[in-house]
Amino acid sequence: METIRDIALNIRIRDLIDMGIVAFVIYKIFMLIRETRAEQLLKGILILLVVTQLSKSLELYTIYWTLEKTMNYGVIAIFIVFQNELRKGLEYIGRTKFFTDSIVNSDAEAGEKVVEELMETIRSLSQQKIGGLVVFEREIGLNEIAETGVSINGDITANLLGNIFYPNTPLHDGAVIIKGNKIKAAGCFLPLSENYSLNKTIGTRHRAALGITEISDCLTLIVSEETGIVSIAERGKLMRAIDMIELKGKLAEMYSSGEKKKGMLARWRNRNEKNKVK
């Protein structure tokens, strides 16, 4: 008890800050690998560490020597096994939102036009039950993904997107990559999600949409080919069956900010109300 009291009395503010930072980093690492293959591997490593210490305490020298050598050389194996998670973590650290609050730095009119074209596209695909997969590049570049498809570098229009996703056309099965006001590439292949806890009913298109958001900060729109339901994937999470108001808000959030976003949503709601009255 005296030892505990002495430690408590000698704790400085900088020690509390130090422990707080360590706890925060551990929490972030856990959140980063949660529900991934790395979580199970980390549990295995922790068990090996405990067994190693127990074997030393119980003077089981052969077991201790074997485990100690395994752990020493296992550091290299950890970097190999966890390469995807390490890359994901470094990308997470490298992200910053201090200098940008939207993916587009154009004027409000241009941003609103892009959103209208996207809304028209998604609405049309949903009504006709045509599958669609649209990836919005943010701060983390997706050049390596874009290179798996066909370079477009064209303006965002409902006609162009509709032609890309039209059934039986060469590019309709792949994903469209959008960067700012331009369609960067089409017919792109996306990595499938590594989340093994996903519902078995989730199809390949949705798994691909989740997979790309697990390794980057992009946002992905998905239109189901079977039901026409629209979903959004972001930060490794899937939001199913979103309505057009929610979708409009998400797009407005990317292509505008503050009062511009509110004005865009207000004009769109008013236009919808007028159409209902008619």
Side-chain angles (χ1 to χ4, degrees):
M1 291 297 292
E2 290 182 2
T3 303
I4 296 174
R5 190 181 300 111
D6 291 339
I7 293 174
L9 291 173
N10 290 322
I11 290 179
R12 300 166 299 175
I13 294 177
R14 69 178 64 181
D15 295 326
L16 294 175
I17 294 173
D18 186 23
M19 289 186 287
I21 291 172
V22 171
F24 178 75
V25 170
I26 293 173
Y27 169 76
K28 282 296 184 181
I29 291 173
F30 174 76
M31 294 301 293
L32 198 64
I33 67 171
R34 188 180 59 173
E35 296 182 351
T36 66
R37 181 168 54 96
E39 181 181 9
Q40 303 304 319
L41 291 172
L42 185 60
K43 289 178 181 178
I45 291 171
L46 291 175
I47 291 172
L48 281 177
L49 287 172
V50 172
V51 173
T52 301
Q53 292 304 313
L54 282 175
S55 63
K56 182 179 181 181
S57 300
L58 297 173
E59 299 182 355
L60 302 173
Y61 298 117
T62 303
I63 295 175
Y64 173 71
W65 182 87
T66 303
L67 291 174
E68 185 185 33
K69 295 302 179 184
T70 301
M71 296 301 294
N72 288 340
Y73 291 108
V75 174
I76 299 173
I78 288 174
F79 282 102
I80 296 172
V81 173
F82 285 87
Q83 58 179 311
N84 289 333
E85 284 74 19
L86 288 170
R87 183 181 66 176
K88 184 178 176 182
L90 291 172
E91 287 175 347
Y92 177 83
I93 293 170
R95 293 177 200 169
T96 175
K97 296 190 181 296
F98 293 113
F99 305 107
T100 58
D101 56 7
S102 68
I103 65 172
V104 178
N105 292 320
S106 58
D107 57 47
E109 186 178 348
E112 187 168 353
K113 185 179 185 301
V114 168
V115 173
E116 290 296 338
E117 295 291 337
L118 290 168
M119 288 298 299
E120 184 179 341
T121 301
I122 300 301
R123 190 185 298 106
S124 176
L125 294 177
S126 178
Q127 291 172 351
Q128 299 179 67
K129 293 185 179 179
I130 296 175
L133 189 54
V134 182
V135 180
F136 294 91
E137 180 179 320
R138 285 174 167 163
E139 294 173 36
I140 296 178
L142 298 176
N143 285 342
E144 59 186 26
I145 301 296
E147 288 173 358
T148 64
V150 176
S151 178
I152 302 292
N153 195 31
D155 293 336
I156 299 172
T157 65
N159 288 335
L160 178 54
L161 288 170
N163 286 333
I164 289 172
F165 289 120
Y166 194 80
N168 301 320
T169 55
L171 303 177
H172 87 282
D173 270 337
V176 165
I177 308 294
I178 288 179
K179 182 177 182 179
N181 292 343
K182 297 289 184 179
I183 298 175
K184 188 173 185 176
C188 302
F189 295 96
L190 306 182
L192 297 181
S193 173
E194 295 184 357
N195 187 346
Y196 299 106
S197 64
L198 288 175
N199 193 308
K200 301 299 182 183
T201 61
I202 294 178
T204 304
R205 182 176 281 110
H206 289 77
R207 289 179 182 272
L210 278 172
I212 190 64
T213 65
E214 289 171 356
I215 62 172
S216 76
D217 61 344
C218 69
L219 179 137
T220 308
L221 295 183
I222 316 102
V223 180
S224 171
E225 196 170 44
E226 291 77 21
T227 63
I229 290 175
V230 181
S231 304
I232 287 179
E234 188 177 19
R235 298 174 184 173
K237 302 295 182 182
L238 184 65
M239 293 165 276
R240 304 291 299 271
I242 66 167
D243 59 34
M244 292 297 112
I245 294 290
E246 289 179 292
L247 177 58
K248 180 75 174 186
K250 202 68 181 176
L251 293 175
E253 184 179 332
M254 289 194 298
Y255 281 91
S256 59
S257 61
E259 294 303 318
K260 293 180 181 179
K261 178 175 69 175
K262 293 178 182 178
M264 187 187 298
L265 286 172
R267 286 191 295 273
W268 192 76
R269 288 194 179 98
N270 290 337
R271 190 155 52 243
N272 269 2
E273 291 300 323
K274 290 178 181 178
N275 291 335
K276 288 179 182 178
V277 171
K278 291 177 181 180

